[in-house]
């Protein structure tokens, strides 16, 4: 029997959703591979988390530890690839600097323990990576308007990322704020459902980013 059926099923729903997004983005090549790697990592994190919440009693202590560590590690790896993908079309100085930031974040996240604090830090790292993607897209959108570029796909990606990051923040608030006792489901289920919408917004932002051409003049990037 599943210990937390709704929590597990919504986790598995996220895993399937992200796997679909990874497949769609990976087909586009280029930075699409990096975004696909990020969504695949989120899928693994959700699959591991859903198995932990639903079937932890079926595993040994070491098995439960590996499941939870897998969730934390996969989320950390997702953050790493989000930064790489978001900066793949920026000037080389941006890429080198943010690659260093992403590498340090990944190294620190992989050294975390397996408790609730480790998950909180990995989620904060994930939100930080989305924030970096938002800044990059916002800056590119500003440069685009400044130099009168005609393609509006960067603006679209920025708007979708604002929505995705905002919804992810609200989802985190669900876990922090008091949960009404009248509701019969875990706050994790509400968190997962809202994250599914947020992930769709992030996918739309990633799709716009992948389709946005690399400008010949780096001033447009």
């Amino acid at each position: 029997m599943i210990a937390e059926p709704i929590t597990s099923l919504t986790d598995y729903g996220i895993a399937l959703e992200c796997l679909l997004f990874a497949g769609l983005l990976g087909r586009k090549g280029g930075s699409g591979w990096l975004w696909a790697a990020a969504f695949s990592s989120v899928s693994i994190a959700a699959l591991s988390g859903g198995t932990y919440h639903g079937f932890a009693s079926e595993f040994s202590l070491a098995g439960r530890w590996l499941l939870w560590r897998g969730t934390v590690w996969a989320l950390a790896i997702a953050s790493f690839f989000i930064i790489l993908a978001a900066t793949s079309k920026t000037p080389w100085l941006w890429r080198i600097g943010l690659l260093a930031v992403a590498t340090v974040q990944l190294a620190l996240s992989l050294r975390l323990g397996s408790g609730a604090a480790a998950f909180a830090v990995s989620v904060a790292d994930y939100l930080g990576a989305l924030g970096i993607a938002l800044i990059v897209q916002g800056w590119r959108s500003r440069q685009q308007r400044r130099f009168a570029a005609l393609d509006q796909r960067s603006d679209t990606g920025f708007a979708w990322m604002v929505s995705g990051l905002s919804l992810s923040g609200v989802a985190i608030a669900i876990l922090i704020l008091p949960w009404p006792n009248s509701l019969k489901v875990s706050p994790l289920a509400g968190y997962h459902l809202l994250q599914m919408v947020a992930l769709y917004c992030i996918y739309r932002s990633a799709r716009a980013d992948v389709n946005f051409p690399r400008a010949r003049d780096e001033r447009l990037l």
Side-chain angles (χ1 to χ4, degrees):
M1 178 176 288
I2 304 178
E4 300 178 57
I6 298 180
T7 300
S8 293
L9 290 175
T10 50
D11 244 334
Y12 291 152
I14 288 176
L16 289 173
E17 177 189 34
C18 288
L19 198 60
L20 172 63
F21 293 158
L24 292 172
L25 292 168
R27 291 168 55 188
K28 295 181 177 294
S31 63
W33 284 106
L34 296 172
W35 281 112
F39 277 104
S40 296
S41 298
V42 175
S43 179
I44 293 171
L47 179 63
S48 180
T51 303
Y52 178 88
H53 288 294
F55 305 98
S57 61
E58 304 296 325
F59 290 85
S60 65
L61 182 61
R64 292 195 295 271
W65 183 86
L66 285 174
L67 280 174
W68 193 244
R69 284 294 284 167
T71 303
V72 174
W73 285 343
L75 203 53
I77 293 170
S79 301
F80 176 79
F81 279 112
I82 286 171
I83 295 175
L84 293 190
T87 60
S88 63
K89 295 179 182 179
T90 59
W92 66 273
L93 281 176
W94 278 61
R95 291 197 296 271
I96 292 175
L98 289 172
L99 174 61
V101 170
T103 303
V104 170
Q105 284 185 345
L106 178 61
L108 293 175
S109 296
L110 293 180
R111 292 178 61 87
L112 293 173
S114 57
F119 179 73
V121 172
S122 65
V123 168
D125 182 40
Y126 170 76
L127 292 177
L130 293 178
I132 289 174
L134 179 65
I135 291 170
V136 169
Q137 290 185 347
W139 179 75
R140 186 165 63 188
S141 176
R142 179 175 178 273
Q143 293 295 95
Q144 180 187 26
R145 291 192 299 270
R146 179 183 174 188
F147 291 100
L150 298 179
D151 198 310
Q152 297 301 311
R153 281 172 286 186
S154 180
D155 284 331
T156 302
F158 176 74
W160 279 111
M161 186 59 74
V162 168
S163 300
L165 184 56
S166 299
L167 288 171
S168 294
V170 174
I172 296 299
I174 289 177
L175 297 180
I176 297 173
L177 298 175
W179 187 252
N181 293 328
S182 58
L183 296 179
K184 302 301 182 182
V185 297
S186 165
L188 281 170
Y191 165 77
H192 291 155
L193 290 172
L194 196 53
Q195 278 289 16
M196 291 179 77
V197 181
L199 285 163
Y200 173 74
C201 295
I202 295 166
Y203 160 71
R204 291 296 302 269
S205 176
R207 192 176 72 176
D209 179 71
V210 171
N211 290 332
F212 191 79
R214 184 186 295 275
R216 294 179 181 178
D217 188 341
E218 278 201 342
R219 293 179 305 169
L220 298 181
L221 293 177

